Amino acid sequence: MITLTEENYIKAIYHLSSNGEKTVNTNAIASAMQTKASSVTDMIKKLSEKNYADYKKYQGVTLTDDGRRVAVNIIRKHRLWEVFLVEKLNFSWDEVHEVAEHLEHIKSEKLIDELDAFLEFPTYDPHGDPIPDKEGNFKHIEKIVLAKAEVGSTYKCVGVDDTSSKFLKYLDSNNIALGTIITVKHKEPFDNSIKIALEHSEIVVSQSVAKNLYLKKV
Amino acid sequence: MITLTEENYIKAIYHLSSNGEKTVNTNAIASAMQTKASSVTDMIKKLSEKNYADYKKYQGVTLTDDGRRVAVNIIRKHRLWEVFLVEKLNFSWDEVHEVAEHLEHIKSEKLIDELDAFLEFPTYDPHGDPIPDKEGNFKHIEKIVLAKAEVGSTYKCVGVDDTSSKFLKYLDSNNIALGTIITVKHKEPFDNSIKIALEHSEIVVSQSVAKNLYLKKV
DNA sequence: AAATATTTTTAGATTAGTCTAAAAATATTT
DNA sequence: AAATATTTTTAGACTAATCTAAAAATATTT
């Protein structure tokens, strides 16, 4: 049996290593999990014993195939629940993350497959992230971050990095949502802020916003 | 904060005391929770400290108003999720209990109130049990157990006591479901089995079945 | 009401996950 | 390549929930 805490560590390692392949170091996991390095060491030993991770002392950790399978399945569940909350229960995109963090740990294959069917097999969640299918397959869309977009080009908003409530509310209040068309007008070298044009307005966004907004060329 | 284990103990005490009012003894809780009496003693001390229960050594335990409020809220969540699973996700009534045992612990008031609305405020779950509303109110329906029904009378099936998969599958295979109309034909004094008439058949059910099926006179 | 049986509680140990503080290994600077 | 800084691990302790075995209280039988 896999515990809730083990699942959360596996998920954190997966996200930190962008798809579970790259080696992740102890402190990175500690800060992602809001815990101490010593706790992380204990846990990665345990994950290693259970064959979810490969670990050599002082050398960081990678997920095994088993570990990656677990991670992708949790992500599938998390994102399907997010779609459910937004489409069926009137949640806004900034409210779903916290509840989905809990729902993702409910263990029932039938539950999640029926939910998938009920939602008509969605392929993206409310933040623009792809939803793995039953076999764990999902496409990486070729997205770029606004901070690296080129002046003069037009893009579609396809996702966010930071899913915190404050950031998503900020986007809402500036009429930026998934699918919004954005034209990059000007990059200010002094503070790396960016002026962008939306359908009915022009706004200037800070560097920290520009680093968290994903776009796709149109 | 209330832990998952505390919630489960409170729920068990509530069910054992039929609405949280009657005193429940340690061994009864131990057998309901599949644990040892010594563990129960520890936990009811803790529930007592946190003001969810009133407890005097060797005298058993009752729930406080707070404890009852917690219990009813968990029951509300459990039964709403059961309706969701059956009506939206194609679960059969014998499959829902185990998954609902986990879903009932997800803590989000918005989630459960929106789920309630999405399901159009159901008042009974798939086993015929009433669903408490947001304020914790719910009606007890006047139901009798088949074992005590009178020969010659006609009843509607309104609920079950045992929600185990084996029992519910037995009912399914004999075409007994919520709403099924049943006429009591004969009670056999020798083994307390009962012959009943359904729409298209007559069957004999054992005493243990008769004790777990709830009816309402029509 | 004394003896016996049952129930409940206490005492002390165990496991999962966490922590602090110190030690060990690795990385960086000079 | 020594010295210093950073990262990681170890050692030992803590909490929540559990257990076993023994002691204490209550209930039942004779």
Side-chain angles (χ1 to χ4, degrees):
Chain A
M1 257 303 293
I2 188 164
T3 68
L4 187 142
T5 314
E6 286 166 0
E7 286 191 347
N8 282 329
Y9 271 94
I10 290 172
K11 189 178 55 154
I13 296 168
Y14 182 88
H15 281 130
L16 286 168
S17 66
S18 43
N19 303 339
E21 284 145 24
K22 220 180 62 191
T23 299
V24 182
N25 58 5
T26 303
N27 269 350
I29 300 170
S31 94
M33 295 288 296
Q34 311 222 70
T35 185
K36 301 293 150 130
S38 55
S39 307
V40 173
T41 302
D42 287 347
M43 181 53 80
I44 59 190
K45 276 182 188 167
K46 200 174 142 202
L47 293 178
S48 183
E49 274 164 28
K50 289 194 172 187
N51 236 301
Y52 294 120
D54 289 321
Y55 163 62
K56 291 208 187 69
K57 270 187 198 177
Y58 297 99
Q59 302 309 134
V61 69
T62 54
L63 292 179
T64 61
D65 286 352
D66 265 14
R68 260 192 299 278
R69 197 184 37 69
V70 168
V72 170
N73 191 242
I74 297 170
I75 289 167
R76 165 170 161 79
K77 292 192 278 183
H78 183 103
R79 293 179 182 167
L80 283 173
W81 280 117
E82 287 195 339
V83 173
F84 172 70
L85 294 173
V86 167
E87 292 196 354
K88 307 293 183 185
L89 300 197
N90 304 306
F91 277 62
S92 56
W93 74 340
D94 61 292
E95 294 176 312
V96 295
H97 189 73
E98 196 194 321
V99 181
E101 286 285 295
H102 294 106
L103 286 164
E104 72 186 9
H105 298 290
I106 303 285
K107 286 173 185 60
S108 164
E109 203 178 324
K110 170 155 181 146
L111 172 64
I112 211 66
D113 291 341
E114 290 285 350
L115 182 66
D116 197 12
F118 180 61
L119 299 171
E120 293 171 330
F121 305 102
T123 49
Y124 292 97
D125 81 5
H127 309 112
D129 295 311
I131 301 175
D133 67 15
K134 198 168 157 53
E135 278 71 43
N137 304 309
F138 61 108
K139 306 195 231 337
H140 251 307
I141 49 170
E142 356 61 56
K143 59 191 180 185
I144 63 161
V145 75
L146 170 55
K148 292 187 175 159
E150 47 188 51
V151 174
S153 294
T154 296
Y155 300 89
K156 183 162 77 173
C157 173
V158 295
V160 293
D161 187 24
D162 178 359
T163 58
S164 71
S165 183
K166 303 118 259 164
F167 180 56
L168 298 174
K169 278 190 175 137
Y170 166 86
L171 294 180
D172 276 343
S173 69
N174 283 286
N175 298 309
I176 299 172
L178 290 192
T180 300
I181 301 299
I182 285 170
T183 302
V184 179
K185 289 293 183 186
H186 176 69
K187 287 187 172 188
E188 176 53 55
F190 168 63
D191 63 357
N192 297 307
S193 65
I194 298 179
K195 186 194 275 186
I196 59 177
L198 307 175
E199 202 182 352
H200 299 299
S201 59
E202 272 195 12
I203 59 172
V204 175
V205 302
S206 69
Q207 184 181 24
S208 53
V209 169
K211 278 177 161 173
N212 282 309
L213 196 58
Y214 291 124
L215 308 175
K216 186 181 162 183
K217 212 156 191 172
V218 289
Chain B
M1 257 302 294
I2 188 162
T3 70
L4 188 142
T5 313
E6 287 165 359
E7 287 191 346
N8 281 330
Y9 272 92
I10 289 172
K11 189 177 57 153
I13 296 169
Y14 182 89
H15 280 131
L16 286 168
S17 64
S18 42
N19 303 340
E21 285 145 25
K22 219 180 64 192
T23 300
V24 182
N25 57 7
T26 304
N27 269 351
I29 300 169
S31 95
M33 295 288 296
Q34 311 223 68
T35 184
K36 300 294 150 122
S38 54
S39 308
V40 173
T41 301
D42 286 347
M43 181 52 81
I44 58 187
K45 276 182 189 166
K46 201 173 141 203
L47 293 178
S48 182
E49 272 163 30
K50 290 194 172 188
N51 236 300
Y52 294 120
D54 288 321
Y55 164 63
K56 289 209 188 68
K57 270 189 196 173
Y58 296 99
Q59 302 309 134
V61 69
T62 54
L63 292 180
T64 61
D65 286 352
D66 265 15
R68 260 191 300 276
R69 199 185 35 69
V70 169
V72 170
N73 191 242
I74 297 171
I75 289 167
R76 166 171 160 78
K77 292 193 278 183
H78 183 102
R79 293 180 182 167
L80 283 173
W81 280 117
E82 287 196 341
V83 173
F84 172 71
L85 294 173
V86 168
E87 292 197 353
K88 307 293 182 184
L89 299 196
N90 303 310
F91 277 62
S92 55
W93 74 341
D94 61 292
E95 294 175 312
V96 294
H97 188 74
E98 197 195 323
V99 181
E101 286 286 295
H102 297 287
L103 287 164
E104 71 185 10
H105 297 290
I106 303 286
K107 286 172 187 60
S108 163
E109 204 178 324
K110 171 156 179 144
L111 172 63
I112 212 65
D113 291 341
E114 291 285 352
L115 182 65
D116 197 11
F118 180 61
L119 298 171
E120 295 170 327
F121 306 102
T123 49
Y124 292 97
D125 80 4
H127 307 113
D129 294 311
I131 300 176
D133 68 15
K134 198 169 157 51
E135 279 71 43
N137 304 309
F138 61 107
K139 307 196 234 333
H140 250 309
I141 49 169
E142 356 61 57
K143 60 192 180 184
I144 63 163
V145 73
L146 170 54
K148 292 186 176 162
E150 47 187 52
V151 173
S153 294
T154 298
Y155 300 88
K156 183 163 77 172
C157 174
V158 294
V160 292
D161 186 25
D162 178 359
T163 58
S164 71
S165 184
K166 304 118 260 164
F167 180 56
L168 297 173
K169 278 189 172 135
Y170 166 85
L171 295 180
D172 276 343
S173 69
N174 283 287
N175 298 309
I176 300 172
L178 290 193
T180 300
I181 300 298
I182 286 170
T183 302
V184 180
K185 289 293 185 185
H186 176 68
K187 287 186 172 187
E188 176 52 55
F190 169 63
D191 63 357
N192 296 308
S193 66
I194 299 179
K195 186 195 275 184
I196 59 176
L198 307 175
E199 202 183 352
H200 300 299
S201 60
E202 272 195 11
I203 60 172
V204 174
V205 300
S206 70
Q207 184 183 24
S208 53
V209 169
K211 278 177 162 173
N212 281 310
L213 196 58
Y214 291 123
L215 308 175
K216 185 181 161 183
K217 213 156 192 174
V218 290

